[in-house]
Amino acid sequence: MKKIISMITAIALALTLVFVPVNAQAATAKSAYITVEKLTIGQGLLVQPTKAEIKDGDTLQTVFEKVMKDAGYETVVDTQYGYYLTGIKNADSGKIDIPKKISDMPDYVSSYEWEGQTFSTTYVAPSNENNDGNLSAPDLNQYAYNAMSGWMFMVNNKGAAEGADKLLVNDGDVIRLHFSVFGWGDDVGIGFSDSNLKLANKDELVKKIANVKDDQTFMSIAAAKKAYEDGVKVLEKYDATDAEVATAVSAIAKYEKPAEVKVARASIKSIKNIKGKKAKITVKKVTGATGYVFKYSKYKSFKKASKKTTTKLTIKTKKFKKKQKCYAKVQAYKKVNGIKHFGKWSKVKKVKIKK
């Protein structure tokens, strides 16, 4: 008896070892969202919003490097004092359009003393007509277009508090890498001077776009696809307002996860054989339903069934052969925001074709 119990215990343990990790992994899957942006020079997004799977212990560096590798970009890094991103190869399209809001930023004066003398340097905000150019093009490196420019990480709408090799990434984090063209981050809202610009928080919009961009069902709905495209435009707009961002988020959310819509089960009111070896099927009206799906066949299994979607309560079937039976069932549906929500199929009813 003890041997039997031991065997049962061993089998149960083995099954646990085989099956539990799979379920546990699915339940604990974590992800972060990441973009690479060049809005300050008018070049939009280098890497569109991407949902990246993460595991415990992943840092900003490991997540970023994987996303960049998958996107086909090579980075230039200085590791002398940790992880410092100095540039991205082939990241400059060659066209610049520096936003006026940046060009209008006040001059920066940097000064220091050395052996009793004061030395100062004035940095002027770059414009399309007046900038330092990009000697490393097509690579986009630090100091391109202005001596105060470089790549900067933003995590959850704040400047990264630690180096990318030290900062742990958590589930749901939004990582946005910006090319700052002036003010060491002031132009993207993560600087430390009085000139730090206040820009809209786009984190939720980044998440929405990343979640739906590869969703075929979402993209198959014309209005949803337009909401996505409009959302990308807002994300790429340097000085988008809070209201514009909120509107874009709401538009995508409307289709992203449709609200649960309950549709009552339909029932067939009558099914009759009519002249021409056809059947006439009538469904009872379902409150709130947009329309109905009628399904009928000469087979009880509904093999080779015919299907008709209509807003009408009654349909006439195609022609049957005499003495055949017509099996039918109906389901109601309700259309909300372009998406059809279906109720359960009705009970099957049948009629014998006699005329």
Side-chain angles (χ1 to χ4, degrees), residues 16 39 107 114 139 202 217 233 260 279 315-316 321-322 342 353:
T16 301
L39 309 189
D107 297 346
W114 176 255
D139 302 338
K202 298 178 180 177
T217 301
K233 289 178 183 177
E260 185 180 353
I315 68 161
K316 294 178 182 179
K321 291 181 180 179
K322 198 170 182 179
F342 296 91
I353 305 300

Side-chain angles (χ1 to χ4, degrees), residues 59-314:
T59 63
L60 181 52
Q61 174 189 344
T62 58
V63 175
F64 169 70
E65 287 183 340
K66 183 180 184 306
V67 169
M68 294 304 285
K69 183 178 179 181
D70 291 344
Y73 288 103
E74 183 181 347
T75 58
V76 182
V77 179
D78 183 349
T79 58
Q80 185 177 2
Y81 300 105
Y83 184 93
Y84 176 60
L85 179 69
T86 61
I88 300 176
K89 291 187 176 295
N90 297 308
D92 192 337
S93 68
K95 292 183 178 181
I96 64 166
D97 186 12
I98 298 173
K100 188 175 184 300
K101 195 168 186 176
I102 295 176
S103 299
D104 289 343
M105 290 176 71
D107 297 346
Y108 280 79
V109 179
S110 176
S111 60
Y112 65 95
E113 291 187 3
W114 176 255
E115 295 183 349
Q117 294 187 39
T118 300
F119 300 87
S120 65
T121 303
T122 300
Y123 298 97
V124 179
S127 66
N128 294 331
E129 298 76 27
N130 182 24
N131 60 78
D132 296 339
N134 182 9
L135 297 177
S136 60
D139 302 338
L140 189 55
N141 299 338
Q142 60 182 351
Y143 311 134
Y145 303 109
N146 188 270
M148 297 178 75
S149 64
W151 290 99
M152 297 192 172
F153 284 105
M154 177 186 278
V155 180
N156 299 330
N157 206 46
K158 294 180 181 179
E162 298 179 82
D165 56 329
K166 301 280 196 305
L167 186 62
L168 293 175
V169 176
N170 299 306
D171 187 30
D173 279 352
V174 177
I175 302 162
R176 297 170 64 197
L177 176 65
H178 297 276
F179 182 74
S180 169
V181 77
F182 186 62
W184 290 306
D186 279 353
D187 58 342
V188 293
I190 54 175
F192 299 97
S193 78
D194 293 337
S195 300
N196 187 43
L197 297 179
K198 305 301 180 187
L199 300 174
N201 183 348
K202 298 178 180 177
D203 282 4
E204 192 61 28
L205 183 56
V206 169
K207 286 184 176 183
K208 295 295 184 190
I209 291 173
N211 284 333
V212 304
K213 69 176 185 178
D214 296 320
D215 187 331
Q216 292 182 343
T217 301
F218 180 95
M219 291 299 179
S220 68
I221 304 168
K225 186 177 180 181
K226 186 178 185 304
Y228 162 81
E229 291 169 346
D230 289 345
V232 172
K233 289 178 183 177
V234 172
L235 186 59
E236 290 182 325
K237 185 178 179 181
Y238 169 75
D239 55 354
T241 65
D242 290 326
E244 288 174 321
V245 173
T247 298
V249 168
S250 296
I252 294 174
K254 187 176 180 180
Y255 303 96
E256 182 187 18
K257 287 184 179 177
E260 185 180 353
V261 177
K262 293 183 178 180
V263 183
R265 185 179 185 181
S267 62
I268 294 176
K269 185 176 182 178
S270 65
I271 178 170
K272 300 176 181 178
N273 176 208
I274 60 175
K275 190 176 179 181
K277 299 185 180 71
K278 296 180 180 181
K280 181 179 178 182
I281 308 166
T282 301
V283 63
K284 290 182 181 178
K285 185 175 181 179
V286 174
T287 303
T290 304
Y292 305 88
V293 180
F294 290 79
K295 200 171 187 179
Y296 61 90
S297 172
K298 63 181 178 181
Y299 299 105
K300 191 176 182 179
S301 64
F302 283 86
K303 182 175 64 172
K304 297 181 181 179
S306 294
K307 200 172 181 181
K308 185 175 179 64
T309 301
T310 179
T311 57
K312 297 178 179 179
L313 296 174
T314 300

